Amino acid sequence: MKKFIPLLCISLMFAFLPVANSEESVWHMAQSDNYGKKACGMLGRGLVNVATSFVDVIVHTVEGTQEGVPFVGTLTGLGSGIGCTALRVSSGALDVATFWVPGFNGIPVARSYSNCL
């Protein structure tokens, strides 16, 4: 098991080499017709979406509080933030699970945390 973890880290490093050398974002790469770009882009986009999904709750709660009646706006923002977090996690997990499938580019969510659709 101890030999497996460094091997996994090295293989992931080489897997993300095309992403690191690319001038495109992972969102554009995930929509590519080129299989290598698509696979790396979908895996990268999925990992980013899963890792940063909690930001939706924060952003929506703050924006809801600023735009609406303080208590009602906070609850409305919190609800929409939880919904967007669930959508972003689902989309990211789907991307990570199916990045290897040819011809399937996932179900992307918006890059902006203010509006997940």
Side-chain angles (χ1 to χ4, degrees):
M1 183 68 179
K2 290 183 180 181
K3 292 182 180 181
F4 177 72
I5 293 174
L7 183 62
L8 178 67
C9 291
I10 290 171
S11 62
L12 283 174
M13 187 173 63
F14 282 113
F16 281 112
L17 197 57
V19 175
N21 290 332
S22 178
E23 288 138 11
E24 294 181 88
S25 69
V26 290
W27 280 267
H28 289 117
M29 288 177 66
Q31 300 301 322
S32 176
D33 292 330
N34 180 341
Y35 178 75
K37 285 176 108 176
K38 180 211 79 91
C40 289
M42 277 186 66
L43 184 59
R45 180 179 70 187
L47 291 173
V48 166
N49 280 337
V50 169
T52 63
S53 60
F54 69 93
V55 176
D56 278 317
V57 174
I58 298 167
V59 169
H60 283 268
T61 303
V62 169
E63 288 179 352
T65 303
Q66 290 174 347
E67 292 173 0
V69 179
F71 184 70
V72 175
T74 301
L75 291 179
T76 306
L78 182 64
S80 65
I82 290 171
C84 283
T85 295
L87 183 64
R88 192 172 299 276
V89 166
S90 300
S91 172
L94 181 69
D95 283 350
V96 170
T98 61
F99 74 94
W100 55 272
V101 177
F104 179 68
N105 294 79
I107 303 168
V109 291
R111 293 173 71 175
S112 169
Y113 293 102
S114 292
N115 184 7
C116 60
L117 301 175

